[in-house]
């Protein structure tokens, strides 16, 4: 493992509430990613970051925002959670010399 | 929309048999094709990867076959073992790109 942790690991929340998921990496990787994993869809990119304060949208970014104030931390925020955002969320960082993405253990989010 | 199409969705193989998972892509700018393995409750982890300048790459019991003209690549698991039971994702990334596109995944079950 490349030292990627995610918190919380599990969360149950109600529709309309804000939720923030945290990703922390210890490898000083420049690139970081947030994915959601749903049955039949594989891993879909939500947002990614290519440096501190540099972020961009992925293919399923609606309803999500991100922030990266330090190299090691990448936050994903659901401003107003909806049931369609019930999913397993994975954070990853990329080691540029090998192109390898290292994934965290995931956060299972349930929106009631 | 860039896509990577993966098949089959699920696969059951006898211990000692060969597991074959196929992927096809559309974007000819893709130049890096990794396969990730995911066990239940864990994040995906890189298994093996190939670049389009070679037609095959082998690491132990795992082999990627790559057909550039057909825009297809496949993972072969020789002498499949129950411990190989997991979900496998193919993926593709384009030159200079930040984003990796993942297939929908294949759930492999190896019967003892």
């Amino acid at each position: 493992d490349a030292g990627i942790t995610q918190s919380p690991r599990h969360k149950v929340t109600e529709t309309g509430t804000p939720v923030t998921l945290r990703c922390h990496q210890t490898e000083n990787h420049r690139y970081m990613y947030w994915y959601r994993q749903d049955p039949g869809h594989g891993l879909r990119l939500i947002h990614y970051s290519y440096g501190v304060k540099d972020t961009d949208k992925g293919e399923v970014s609606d309803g999500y925002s991100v922030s990266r104030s330090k190299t090691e931390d990448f936050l994903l925020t659901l401003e107003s959670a909806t049931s369609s955002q019930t999913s397993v969320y994975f954070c990853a960082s990329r080691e540029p010399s090998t192109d390898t993405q290292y994934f965290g253990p995931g956060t299972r989010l349930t929106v009631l | 929309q860039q896509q990577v199409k993966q098949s089959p969705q699920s696969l059951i193989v006898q211990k000692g048999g060969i597991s074959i998972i196929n992927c096809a892509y559309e974007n000819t700018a893709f130049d890096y094709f990794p396969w990730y393995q995911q066990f239940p409750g864990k994040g995906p982890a890189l298994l093996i990867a190939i670049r389009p300048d070679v037609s095959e790459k082998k690491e132990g019991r795992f082999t990627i076959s790559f057909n550039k003209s057909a825009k297809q690549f496949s993972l072969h698991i020789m002498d499949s073992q129950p411990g190989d039971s997991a979900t496998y994702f193919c993926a593709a990334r384009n030159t200079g790109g930040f984003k990796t596109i993942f297939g929908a995944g294949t759930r492999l079950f190896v019967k003892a």
Side-chain angles (χ1 to χ4, degrees):
Chain A
D1 291 348
I4 297 181
T5 58
Q6 293 184 231
S7 60
R9 295 293 314 280
H10 299 87
K11 186 168 182 67
V12 179
T13 191
E14 294 190 349
T15 298
T17 60
V19 177
T20 295
L21 308 183
R22 180 175 181 257
C23 177
H24 180 79
Q25 55 115 346
T26 59
E27 301 299 314
N28 201 36
H29 290 162
R30 177 183 171 192
Y31 303 102
M32 295 187 74
Y33 306 82
W34 275 107
Y35 295 90
R36 61 177 289 173
Q37 183 175 21
D38 305 287
H41 291 279
L43 292 155
R44 292 183 293 175
L45 182 65
I46 304 171
H47 281 280
Y48 64 97
S49 170
Y50 46 96
V52 174
K53 299 192 188 305
D54 292 323
T55 64
D56 205 348
K57 297 179 179 180
E59 61 181 306
V60 289
S61 59
D62 287 349
Y64 302 95
S65 62
V66 291
S67 65
R68 192 163 178 207
S69 59
K70 297 186 291 185
T71 298
E72 56 266 35
D73 292 325
F74 193 30
L75 304 181
L76 176 71
T77 297
L78 290 66
E79 300 290 347
S80 178
T82 68
S83 59
S84 64
Q85 294 175 312
T86 292
S87 186
V88 180
Y89 291 86
F90 287 99
C91 171
S93 69
R94 179 160 69 95
E95 206 291 312
S97 65
T98 63
D99 262 335
T100 302
Q101 286 198 30
Y102 295 94
F103 285 83
T107 294
R108 182 172 295 276
L109 175 68
T110 301
V111 183
L112 301 176
Chain B
Q1 177 75 356
Q2 299 176 351
Q3 284 191 337
V4 176
K5 296 183 180 180
Q6 183 172 348
S7 63
Q9 280 188 308
S10 61
L11 182 61
I12 300 174
V13 174
Q14 288 288 135
K15 178 182 176 181
I18 302 173
S19 304
I20 302 174
I21 304 170
N22 300 299
C23 285
Y25 63 97
E26 299 169 351
N27 188 343
T28 55
F30 288 147
D31 67 344
Y32 174 69
F33 302 88
W35 285 88
Y36 283 81
Q37 179 188 55
Q38 183 183 29
F39 293 105
K42 304 291 186 182
L46 180 68
L47 181 64
I48 186 173
I50 196 169
R51 297 191 186 273
D53 52 344
V54 297
S55 60
E56 185 175 284
K57 183 174 182 180
K58 183 176 181 180
E59 291 184 0
R61 296 184 294 108
F62 300 91
T63 300
I64 300 178
S65 297
F66 185 81
N67 186 329
K68 188 174 181 178
S69 61
K71 294 186 284 187
Q72 296 175 346
F73 58 111
S74 59
L75 176 69
H76 293 65
I77 306 174
M78 311 300 288
D79 187 26
S80 299
Q81 299 297 312
D84 297 330
S85 298
T87 299
Y88 293 81
F89 294 97
C90 64
R93 193 178 70 86
N94 60 306
T95 305
F98 298 122
K99 297 182 279 189
T100 299
I101 309 299
F102 286 84
T106 296
R107 293 188 67 177
L108 172 65
F109 180 68
V110 181
K111 296 172 64 175

